Amino acid sequence: MFERPTSGERAVLVQLAIGGELAGDAREELEQLAEAAGATVVGFAGGARATPDPKYFIGSGKAEALKALVAATEAELVIVDHGLSPAQERNLERLLQCRVVDRSGLILDIFAQRARSFEGKLQVELAQLRHLSTRLVRGWTHLERQKGGIGLRGPGETQLETDRRLLGKRIALLKARLARIEVQREQGRRARERHEVPTVALVGYTNVGKSTLFNRLTDAGVLQADQLFATLDPTLRRLPLPGAQTAVLADTVGFISQLPHELVAAFRATLEETRSADLLLHVVDAEPSERARHIQDVEGVLADIGAGDVPRIMVYNKIDALDGRGIDTSARVDRDAHGAVERVWLSAVTGAGIALLLGAIAERLASATVHQRLLLGPEDGELHAWLFRHAGVERDSPTERGGWDMQISMPKARWERILQGKDALSRRICSLAVPCAPPAPATAQALARIH
């Protein structure tokens, strides 16, 4: 019977090209993930397969070679840069006689180390428990046995069933706590909507400089480091813009290829800040080698969480690191065929291009606001209250019929989501709304409620 070691960080990395070629920076990214988790890399095993092996994932021959490499390097941990089934993970551990961690488990471990806020810790624990719930039979074969001994024999619950039941209870408790926190977040979002304060969210691949850019724009002082997943907990700060405009800037967790589904599910409440944002700043490393793949991975996650249609500006960061490569390193703004801002090239470290970005944000927000007039009847009390919660109310006057003459404004993306809604409230708004003149700018008193 194999008991899994509980310590040791000397790691051998395993990475296969399954049905194709690996990305150019795939090995470097795996090494950075391992180092971010605190492992010391002592060996690497690569290769290629058309399809994964059902028993070991890497194949029996590669598994035997890996066993020899583990013995030669005295490794205590094997990190596989792929998702393993519980059976594959258990089979490898029995053969190698050391701990085996797949890509999902590795990223979850990094998140567990980096989470600082109460909400972040709850989200990571929930993701870990969901991941663990499918792996209770890993190396601990004794958990499958019923408890024995005098007075304990007979029908009853196996230890494995007990563990599953306890995990289920803990998962339900964490979901309930996170639901209460989400109510608080929703109240904050409603307050911003009421006072016409737009939200701008930073998104992008991990380690592209989002936190550095966030600090440069807001002087927030959040942790910034040249490592994967340096910051996890979302942060909101005021963002002064040209023309006396003000927005709220949200810094979110970085994305990565093959992001564990457990993490996406657990962080869905946090990522709601991204989905409900009025504008996304998709930060990209200006280095062209892996730029396209990183953009594709981020766009895939945004689509998964329902943020695929949110307007965005591509922000190409780190232009200061491109000197001498024959690439245009000037800070600049690229526009599409209709003259709208499409890309901003800048350096968050040196500050080059920051003024251009602020101007681009102000321009996109100003052009993406709709203003509507609604003549409500006395039967529209529910709609009247809803508009006060979700829109910027510019004017609200009673009518002779007992209804209300309202003038509202809201970001275009939010308005389009209402127009696409199928519920009775959305249909009623569509039937009443008439475009009107722009509202007055947001007041300083309204912004005082934003933390």
Side-chain angles (χ1 to χ4, degrees):
M1 181 175 64
F2 167 59
E3 292 289 346
R4 305 175 78 241
T6 58
S7 63
E9 305 299 340
R10 292 172 57 84
V12 170
L13 308 183
V14 178
Q15 191 173 60
L16 297 183
I18 303 295
E21 297 183 357
L22 290 170
D25 65 342
R27 176 170 176 175
E28 180 184 358
E29 181 178 276
L30 177 58
E31 291 175 349
Q32 290 177 347
L33 283 171
E35 292 170 359
T40 301
V41 179
V42 296
F44 181 85
R49 285 185 64 88
T51 58
D53 176 63
K55 184 175 182 180
Y56 292 121
F57 185 88
I58 60 176
S60 56
K62 181 67 69 174
E64 291 294 338
L66 180 60
K67 181 178 180 180
L69 178 60
V70 169
T73 58
E74 298 181 347
E76 303 144 313
L77 172 67
V78 170
I79 298 175
V80 182
D81 190 30
H82 307 275
L84 299 178
S85 70
Q88 289 168 338
E89 197 168 307
R90 183 171 67 251
N91 292 337
L92 282 173
E93 286 184 340
R94 285 173 174 167
L95 175 67
L96 304 177
Q97 293 293 297
C98 70
R99 282 182 298 147
V100 175
V101 176
D102 67 357
R103 184 180 179 89
S104 295
L106 177 63
I107 295 176
L108 287 170
D109 186 86
I110 297 172
F111 273 53
Q113 295 181 48
R114 302 283 168 78
R116 293 291 179 268
S117 70
F118 177 68
E119 180 185 11
K121 291 176 181 178
L122 289 181
Q123 289 170 326
V124 171
E125 184 183 355
L126 176 59
Q128 287 180 313
L129 291 180
R130 282 173 168 164
H131 186 70
L132 178 62
S133 63
T134 63
R135 286 163 163 74
L136 286 178
V137 296
R138 300 167 79 175
W140 294 282
T141 54
H142 67 281
L143 293 183
E144 298 173 353
R145 302 174 182 172
Q146 263 182 322
K147 297 177 181 179
I150 297 174
L152 296 175
R153 295 188 182 93
E157 203 173 34
T158 65
Q159 185 62 47
L160 185 58
E161 290 169 342
T162 302
D163 290 341
R164 283 177 177 156
R165 178 169 50 80
L166 293 175
L167 272 179
K169 286 185 175 180
R170 181 62 180 171
I171 287 174
L173 176 63
L174 292 175
K175 286 182 177 179
R177 289 181 176 177
L178 286 171
R180 290 195 292 270
I181 295 175
E182 171 56 16
V183 171
Q184 297 173 354
R185 284 191 174 277
E186 179 62 25
Q187 290 173 343
R189 283 192 289 269
R190 287 180 179 178
R192 295 196 294 272
E193 290 176 359
R194 257 196 327 269
H195 296 109
E196 307 174 54
V197 182
T199 300
V200 180
L202 289 170
V203 298
Y205 210 78
T206 183
N207 203 30
V208 295
K210 293 189 306 301
S211 295
T212 304
L213 180 59
F214 186 77
N215 286 337
R216 173 69 69 173
L217 292 171
T218 65
D219 295 324
V222 300
L223 174 65
Q224 56 188 61
D226 185 17
Q227 58 183 208
L228 302 185
F229 302 116
T231 55
L232 292 183
D233 300 313
T235 307
L236 300 177
R237 291 291 186 274
R238 298 181 195 179
L239 177 65
L241 296 171
Q245 296 186 68
T246 303
V248 170
L249 185 65
D251 186 18
T252 60
V253 62
F255 301 149
I256 197 169
S257 60
Q258 304 176 53
L259 190 67
H261 293 294
E262 297 91 348
L263 272 178
V264 175
F267 277 76
R268 187 166 294 276
T270 301
L271 295 174
E272 180 67 22
E273 294 290 352
T274 301
R275 191 171 69 176
S276 62
D278 302 302
L279 179 67
L280 299 182
L281 301 182
H282 183 167
V283 185
V284 181
D285 192 330
E287 165 60 45
S289 59
E290 298 299 328
R291 184 197 303 161
R293 181 177 69 86
H294 290 175
I295 292 175
Q296 183 179 1
D297 289 336
V298 172
E299 292 294 336
V301 176
L302 291 175
D304 288 342
I305 64 175
D309 296 329
V310 179
R312 68 203 64 189
I313 295 175
M314 303 298 296
V315 179
Y316 284 41
N317 188 25
K318 304 184 181 181
I319 60 174
D320 56 300
L322 299 177
D323 290 339
R325 302 190 188 184
I327 303 173
D328 186 358
T329 60
S330 62
R332 61 193 187 276
V333 175
D334 295 340
R335 297 179 179 271
D336 62 18
H338 303 287
V341 176
E342 190 172 35
R343 287 179 295 272
V344 178
W345 299 74
L346 55 78
S347 169
V349 172
T350 66
I354 295 298
L356 295 176
L357 176 61
L358 291 172
I361 295 172
E363 180 182 329
R364 286 293 295 269
L365 291 177
S367 63
T369 301
V370 296
H371 318 288
Q372 301 287 329
R373 181 188 178 193
L374 296 90
L375 194 61
L376 277 59
E379 70 279 6
D380 293 317
E382 180 182 356
L383 175 56
H384 183 255
W386 187 93
L387 290 171
F388 265 95
R389 292 196 305 269
H390 296 277
V393 177
E394 180 184 344
R395 186 184 71 244
D396 178 37
S397 305
T399 64
E400 294 180 357
R401 294 180 56 247
W404 302 270
D405 184 357
M406 299 188 71
Q407 186 169 322
I408 65 167
S409 66
M410 67 172 58
K412 185 177 180 180
R414 198 180 302 158
W415 178 252
E416 289 179 347
R417 288 196 291 269
I418 293 174
L419 296 182
Q420 295 169 3
K422 304 299 183 183
D423 57 285
L425 205 62
S426 295
R427 292 196 299 269
R428 181 62 175 163
I429 292 175
C430 294
S431 67
L432 295 175
V434 177
C436 64
T443 63
Q445 289 82 357
L447 298 170
R449 301 185 62 179
I450 309 300
H451 297 290

